[in-house]
Each structure stands twice: as structure tokens, then as C-alpha cells.
Amino acid sequence: MNWQSNIVSILGENITFGNQTLKASFKESTRATYSLTNRDCFIEGQCFKGNPEISVGDYFIRAVDNKKYMVITTQVEPLDSNLMYMYASKCNTQIEIQRCVKQRNDDGELIESWETVFSNVYCHKDIATRSLKLTNDGGIDQTIYNIILPHQYLISQDDRVVMKTNINGVEANENYKVDSIDNSIQGIDKVQLVLDLRW
């Protein structure tokens, strides 16, 4: 171990990744961000690589708050081969992913139904509020709903995401439609949602 590994090993916090406990030295990622959600959730810092090695999209739990986090990106630590530099986000919601299934009934009619393909998926959500746009057809929601989740779930365009929000003064499930997906970072998917007005 060199001096960086020694410092993280002695002074770092414990994180649990799978069946292994690793040492990490994190700080809040608050530089130049206007999103209060990102300011609350994002962390960065040095971390031991682990065996198997931590990958983008993996979950871990911080001992300091017992919360679940998701690895967003990793970078090589050029001065110490035992460490990596990691950006991660606290998972601030759980979602259900549903997919439309089309089957023919006994009469040959095509019947569509929603099938839950994944439940209790931990992810990071960030919502950019916008004013309601009034048109001749009525009000249009301009809110931008974003989530980040591991690529392993293969969330796809037109899938339905069921997520908690405030409805009529209580926290309840709301349906969202997957509008677009960015999977340019290997290991995670960044997803934009819209309110799902389908049946």
C-alpha cells in the first residue's frame, strides 16, 4: 500500500458492497449544481476497488447513514492501483417497471395488459418543476421527470414506471411513461419520464 491507500484505510468510512466491506473517503458533490436533489444525493471520493471490483451501476450501503447508493461513474486513480475515484448517488426512490404484453384471446382479439417485470428497483430521481402550460386542449404538464438506474434492468422506451408522488394530499403511486433513454454511460441508464395517460 502507498500513502493514499493507508490514509483511506485508516481514516475512511465503511461501505458494504455485496458480501464485502470496503473503505472509502467520500465528500458531497456540491460544486456548481442548481439541483437541490443532486446536492443532497451525490457524493464522490476515493474507494478501494474490491474483489470483485466495483462497477458502474452497482449498489452499496454507507455505514454512516445506512442508506443505499448507486455507483454512477468510476475513474482510474493514477497514483494508487488499489483505489478508484467514484461518483455515486443516494437512491432516493424505488420504482416498479411494467411492460405492455400483447396476447390473443380465444376469439383472436389482440388483448394488451401491463406486466410487472421488476419491482422495488432502487434508483435516483430528480424532478425539474415547470409551470402548467395552458392550451386550447387544456393543461399540459411541463415537469421534467428524470431517473437513473442500473442498466441491468434494460428499461425500454414506452415502458411504464410506477413511482410514489403526492396525489390529493397523500403519497400514492403514479404511472409514468418512459419517453427517452440515455445509455451512453456503460452500466447505468438515464431516463426521462412523462405522465402516463394510457389506460
Side-chain angles (χ1 to χ4, degrees), residues 27-148:
K27 65 178 182 177
E28 281 70 25
S29 270
T30 59
R31 294 189 306 267
T33 177
Y34 296 99
S35 167
L36 294 178
T37 304
N38 292 347
R39 189 177 293 272
D40 174 63
C41 294
F42 277 89
I43 58 173
E44 62 178 284
Q46 291 177 315
C47 176
F48 279 92
K49 291 180 176 179
N51 186 20
E53 191 171 311
I54 292 177
S55 299
V56 172
D58 288 339
Y59 295 116
F60 64 90
I61 295 175
R62 292 178 77 185
V64 295
D65 60 10
N66 203 34
K67 304 278 187 182
K68 185 168 286 208
Y69 287 74
M70 177 176 39
V71 181
I72 301 297
T73 60
T74 61
Q75 296 176 349
V76 173
E77 182 56 77
L79 299 179
D80 193 328
S81 61
N82 295 311
L83 299 174
M84 65 171 62
Y85 200 84
M86 177 198 298
Y87 290 84
S89 173
K90 180 167 44 179
C91 296
N92 58 1
T93 194
Q94 292 182 62
I95 65 168
E96 181 178 303
I97 301 172
Q98 297 180 351
R99 194 157 290 146
C100 186
V101 177
K102 299 178 182 180
Q103 294 177 326
R104 296 204 178 272
N105 63 14
D106 294 339
D107 297 326
E109 297 173 309
L110 193 62
I111 304 298
E112 296 182 346
S113 61
W114 290 98
E115 178 181 280
T116 298
V117 290
F118 294 104
S119 296
N120 302 317
V121 177
Y122 285 88
C123 62
H124 170 80
K125 77 173 175 183
D126 186 19
I127 299 173
T129 55
R130 297 284 189 272
S131 60
L132 193 66
K133 183 177 182 180
L134 296 177
T135 70
N136 290 336
D137 298 324
I140 296 177
D141 180 22
Q142 296 189 99
T143 305
I144 300 172
Y145 306 91
N146 293 308
I147 59 172
I148 303 173

